[in-house]
Every structure is written in structure tokens, then in C-alpha cells.
Amino acid sequence: MIRAATLERILVILSDFVALSICFMLAFWVQFHSGWIADKYDPSKLFADYAHMGLFLNIAWLVLFTCAGLYRSWLLMSRTHQILRVLRGVIIGIVLIIVCLFGSEFISKFSSNMPLSEGYLYGSRFPWIFIYGGLAMVLVASFRMFIYLCLRGLLRLGYGANNILVLGATEAGRKVAEDLKNTPERGQRVIGFVDERFQVMDREFAGFPVLGKYSDLAALVKKYRVTGIVIAHESSSPQEIMRVLVWICEMALHIYIVPELYPVVNGRFKANLVYGFELQELFAFTMPPWQVRVKRIMDLVVGGFIGLVSFPLWIFAAIAIKLQDGGPVFYSQERIGLYGKPFTVYKFRTMRTDAEKFGAQWATKDDPRVTKIGKFLRKTRIDELPQILCVLKGDMSMVGPRPERAVFISKLREEIPFYISRLKMKPGLTGWAQVRHHYDTSTEDVKIKLQYDMYYYENMSLLLDFQILVRTVYVVLTGKGAQ
């Protein structure tokens, strides 16, 4: 069954395309067949001759709307907010149309040595361009509202709803479950409760099944294809809430908390209010979908460029490592990526070949295991270059938190609250924590870097990525931030 969010996106894109097609057909009729624009009146013009222009314009509108974030899920967001976002997108589109029309005339006049300050044909078209924009705004918004009316009808029938688990068979949990049950048009369906008292309590609560305890969450999420979890734990202790979150924050889930628990997380995490419910979403991913796609394109372009430009450094590092001790040039290791997925990371070897003969251990300041050439490679970050292969493959991004080993994650998740939340981000070749702090040498360093990582997650954007990449160049050139 198609999920509500997927069905929503398909229907909204189709409705936008139809609305914009109607706008183009009306614009064609006004220009050539209505007689309202005397110098353009020509009944012999056929729409079929201009259909390709309409298709191109519609695709351009859809790309613009994508960049404006209009194809995110709006099921739990305000309709008014959506209409305002449509208005903003249309205004930007009209401005771009005007710039293109006048730009083309300006270039034509300039190339023909005509006066540049007068005789612009499209100056008289301003009112019609604005009418076209107003019509696009009205039709796109109206079609969208109609789509959501139909979509809410399907959701009331139980089609396409997202599955939700409630953590904690409490009164707060009962209220949330009943509210969601009474408003199926929101697209969220409670499939049951999870409670630590599972072994000693009834198998039903508030008319919903009690499916297990917190340690069963991973299996339940997979079995019921859960997309979101509401934390309604009865304890208001921060330690208890953090213990609950440790079970779920590494999963690809939306995490909500009830009002009774707001004070517990207030000031600790950035949370978004959920429209229509007394809920807050924790660890909300705020980067617009279009920026996510551009970020991936940027990874491929920047990663490929750095790989080519730095190739002489690869040769230098390989020769230097071989000449020093004759050992292997590269060092491969399994790291943990997005949502706990393991992958193999590659680096230039900077330590002795027997560096971990006694098992995994932290690197330390002036670590005796680091070779002479290894100190230089680390200081200049040249040792990180082979990770570009992981970026191109998609296991890593150019910007993100440092990928960590499973053995350290198992240890740190017990010592540092919410350390596991780093797994909600794709690891990066560089990152906010890497350019703001030195290599991890202790648990305290990890705690500091986690704050930087969470700041990056809550403020993730292409602009921040660009700032981090620029600062990385500064770190490489000056050696600051590296050991």
C-alpha cells in the first residue's frame, strides 16, 4: 500500500502540473485569440505549435516549487502556511519570468546596437504577466486544497496512513492515541502501545494492543513498518526519557513527545510543534528535500574534483608510507553510517602496522603509535583523502559527523546521552565538529564534538555546508583544529 506521504506528493505534483497547464492555455488564448492584446491578435495560431513551450514552462515551475520546498509532506502542517509558501513560490517565478523576458530583449537590443533605454515591448505586458501570476497562485492553491480534501477522504477510510507506536501506556498516551484515532485525516494510525510493564499488564490498553517492551522496538518497527513514535512515558526524569530515546533515536523514525514531557527536553534539543496536536517532534530533519538532492550532487562534484586535483598527493603519500616502513599504504576499517548501516572506510595509514595489537583504543596526543610521516598526513588531513571513495559511493557525505567504529559506539551510547543520535546523519569527510575541535582523545572530547554535531543536524543547510568546506580549507592550510 502506498504511504500517505508518497500518495500526497504524487497527487500534488500532478495537480500543480494540471493547474499550470490551464494557466498556459488561458495565456495563449488571451494573447492570440481574445483580441485583448491588439498587436498579438492572430486567430490562425494553433495551440499545438506552442505546446512544447508550455511543457518547458511547466517543468520550470515544478523545479522552482521543488526548490521552494512545496513538495514536502503537509499532512501535519498548517494549510495557511502551505498557501503562503505557494504565494512565495509564484512571486519568485513571476520575477524570474520578467527578468528573462526583459533580459532577452536587452540582449537583442545590445547585439543589434539599438537604444537600450526605450522601446521595450514587454513593458506593456506587465498587467498580463501579473494576472498570469495571480491566476497561477489561485489555481495551484485551489487544486492543492481539492487534492487534500480527497486525500483526507482516503485517509478516513484507512488508506495510506502512517503507522505510529505509543511508548508508555499512560493517560497522556491514551489521549494521544484517541486523538489520532478521531482524526484519521492527519494520516497517522496508532497500531499499539509499548510499555516496560509488558510482562505484568493487560495485553490491551485504551482499545489498542500492547505489543511489547522498549527492547522489542527494533523488531516491532520492522514488523509493522512504523514511521513514527510518540513518547508518553510516565516518568518525568530526564535520565529515564534519555534511556527511552536511546532505543529509538538511531532508527529512521519521527519522534514525538507529549506536553507533559516538554520540560524534560526543553533547552536540550530543538523541537518543532506538530500542527493540530499537542505534540513536539524531536530530532526533526529540517533540511528541505531539494537541498538534500543538491547536497548529494555537491558531494559528487566536489568529491570528484578534489579526488582529481589531489591525485599527486595520493602518489606522494603512498611513496612516503612505503619508504618509511614498507607496510601497506591504505588502512581499511568498518565504520557505522546512516541509521547504523556498516560500511568500509579507507585512509592512508598513519600508525604502525601493530598499532592495535591489544585491541581498539583511543588515539592520544603525541601518540607513539603514529609514524613520522603519519603526523604530517594527519596534520594536513591528507590521510583522509581516500574517504572520497566513500563519498562517491554514497556511504559518506562531504560534510557530516565523523564516522565511528561499532566498538566505540557501543561504549559511548552507554556513557553519553543521545550519542546515538549522530546516526541520523550521513557521516562526513569533514564536519562542524571536525573543524571546531581536534581529534577525539577521550570521552570528554566526544561529548564536546556531539554538541557540535547536534548543532549541525538542527541547522543543516547548503550554506552551512559551504561554510564548513571553506573552514576546512583554512584548517588544512593552517593546521589549526588538527593534531
Side-chain angles (χ1 to χ4, degrees), residues 464-482:
L464 182 56
D465 277 12
F466 178 75
Q467 292 173 335
I468 292 171
L469 289 173
V470 171
R471 188 172 180 85
T472 300
V473 175
Y474 171 78
V475 168
V476 170
L477 293 178
T478 64
K480 293 182 179 180

Side-chain angles (χ1 to χ4, degrees), residues 238-297:
Q239 288 73 24
E240 282 296 306
I241 303 305
M242 289 180 181
R243 188 175 65 84
V244 172
L245 283 173
V246 163
W247 288 105
I248 58 176
C249 61
E250 67 181 287
M251 302 177 188
L253 298 170
H254 294 282
I255 302 173
Y256 309 99
I257 60 170
V258 295
E260 289 81 354
L261 300 180
Y262 289 177
V264 179
V265 297
N266 187 34
R268 296 171 180 267
F269 310 101
K270 188 175 181 179
N272 292 346
L273 287 171
V274 179
Y275 175 73
F277 295 101
E278 291 183 338
L279 294 174
Q280 280 189 339
E281 183 176 4
L282 295 181
F283 308 118
F285 188 71
T286 57
M287 193 176 199
W290 73 271
Q291 288 197 25
V292 175
R293 288 185 280 272
V294 173
K295 180 178 171 71
R296 178 55 186 156
I297 295 173

Side-chain angles (χ1 to χ4, degrees), residues 11-24 58 61-62 64-66 70-71 74 79 82-91 132-148:
L11 293 177
V12 168
I13 291 175
L14 289 175
S15 74
D16 286 351
F17 187 86
V18 171
L20 294 167
S21 297
I22 293 175
C23 287
F24 183 81
N58 284 0
W61 275 111
L62 296 181
L64 174 62
F65 285 175
T66 300
L70 287 174
Y71 296 122
W74 295 90
R79 299 291 177 262
Q82 181 181 184
I83 292 175
L84 291 176
R85 292 296 291 269
V86 171
L87 175 61
R88 187 182 73 171
V90 170
I91 290 175
Y132 169 77
L135 184 62
M137 165 64 198
V138 171
L139 287 181
V140 168
S142 299
F143 276 45
R144 280 177 171 244
M145 293 305 102
F146 175 74
I147 288 296
Y148 281 100

Side-chain angles (χ1 to χ4, degrees), residues 29 92 114 135 145 159 168 188 205 226 243 288 366 435 450:
W29 179 81
I92 294 173
M114 296 174 63
L135 184 62
M145 293 305 102
Y159 182 86
Q188 313 299 317
F205 180 79
V226 173
R243 188 175 65 84
D366 299 323
V435 299
L450 178 61

Side-chain angles (χ1 to χ4, degrees), residues 133-407:
L135 184 62
M137 165 64 198
V138 171
L139 287 181
V140 168
S142 299
F143 276 45
R144 280 177 171 244
M145 293 305 102
F146 175 74
I147 288 296
Y148 281 100
L149 181 65
C150 297
L151 190 58
R152 285 195 293 270
L154 291 174
L155 290 170
R156 289 191 188 98
L157 297 174
Y159 182 86
N162 297 315
N163 292 335
I164 300 289
L165 278 174
V166 179
L167 272 63
T170 63
E171 285 305 310
R174 180 200 300 272
K175 184 178 184 303
V176 170
E178 290 177 348
D179 286 347
L180 290 173
K181 181 179 179 180
N182 294 332
T183 54
E185 64 273 10
R186 297 295 183 190
Q188 313 299 317
R189 175 176 53 219
V190 175
I191 60 170
F193 284 83
V194 177
D195 196 283
E196 279 293 78
R197 301 165 297 173
F198 174 72
Q199 301 292 351
V200 297
M201 65 182 299
D202 294 338
R203 291 298 180 264
E204 185 175 294
F205 180 79
F208 296 90
V210 180
L211 300 172
K213 52 187 183 296
Y214 297 152
S215 59
D216 300 323
L217 278 170
L220 292 173
V221 167
K222 183 177 181 179
K223 179 179 179 180
Y224 294 101
R225 301 179 65 189
V226 173
T227 61
I229 286 179
V230 178
I231 300 177
H233 197 279
E234 63 181 3
S235 173
S236 60
S237 165
Q239 288 73 24
E240 282 296 306
I241 303 305
M242 289 180 181
R243 188 175 65 84
V244 172
L245 283 173
V246 163
W247 288 105
I248 58 176
C249 61
E250 67 181 287
M251 302 177 188
L253 298 170
H254 294 282
I255 302 173
Y256 309 99
I257 60 170
V258 295
E260 289 81 354
L261 300 180
Y262 289 177
V264 179
V265 297
N266 187 34
R268 296 171 180 267
F269 310 101
K270 188 175 181 179
N272 292 346
L273 287 171
V274 179
Y275 175 73
F277 295 101
E278 291 183 338
L279 294 174
Q280 280 189 339
E281 183 176 4
L282 295 181
F283 308 118
F285 188 71
T286 57
M287 193 176 199
W290 73 271
Q291 288 197 25
V292 175
R293 288 185 280 272
V294 173
K295 180 178 171 71
R296 178 55 186 156
I297 295 173
M298 186 173 72
D299 286 343
L300 295 173
V301 173
V302 176
F305 175 76
I306 293 177
L308 291 174
V309 172
S310 65
F311 187 69
L313 294 177
W314 289 54
I315 298 176
F316 160 76
I319 294 174
I321 294 171
K322 273 294 183 183
L323 288 177
Q324 177 161 277
D325 58 15
V329 171
F330 296 103
Y331 174 69
S332 63
Q333 197 175 69
E334 184 177 88
R335 298 291 176 97
I336 304 301
L338 183 65
Y339 295 125
K341 179 184 177 182
F343 70 98
T344 302
V345 70
Y346 301 93
K347 288 187 176 186
F348 284 118
R349 184 173 59 84
T350 59
M351 290 187 175
R352 301 193 311 262
T353 54
D354 62 347
E356 293 192 336
K357 61 183 178 181
F358 299 114
Q361 53 185 295
W362 291 107
T364 60
K365 188 174 183 180
D366 299 323
D367 197 317
R369 298 174 299 163
V370 178
T371 62
K372 290 182 179 180
I373 188 63
K375 291 179 181 179
F376 173 77
L377 295 179
R378 285 189 168 212
K379 190 175 183 64
T380 57
R381 305 287 193 183
I382 293 176
D383 66 315
E384 309 279 358
L385 287 176
Q387 293 182 59
I388 289 174
L389 300 175
C390 300
V391 173
L392 298 177
K393 185 179 177 182
D395 292 326
M396 293 176 62
S397 176
M398 284 301 300
V399 180
R402 176 185 173 87
E404 196 51 87
R405 299 165 67 176
V407 61

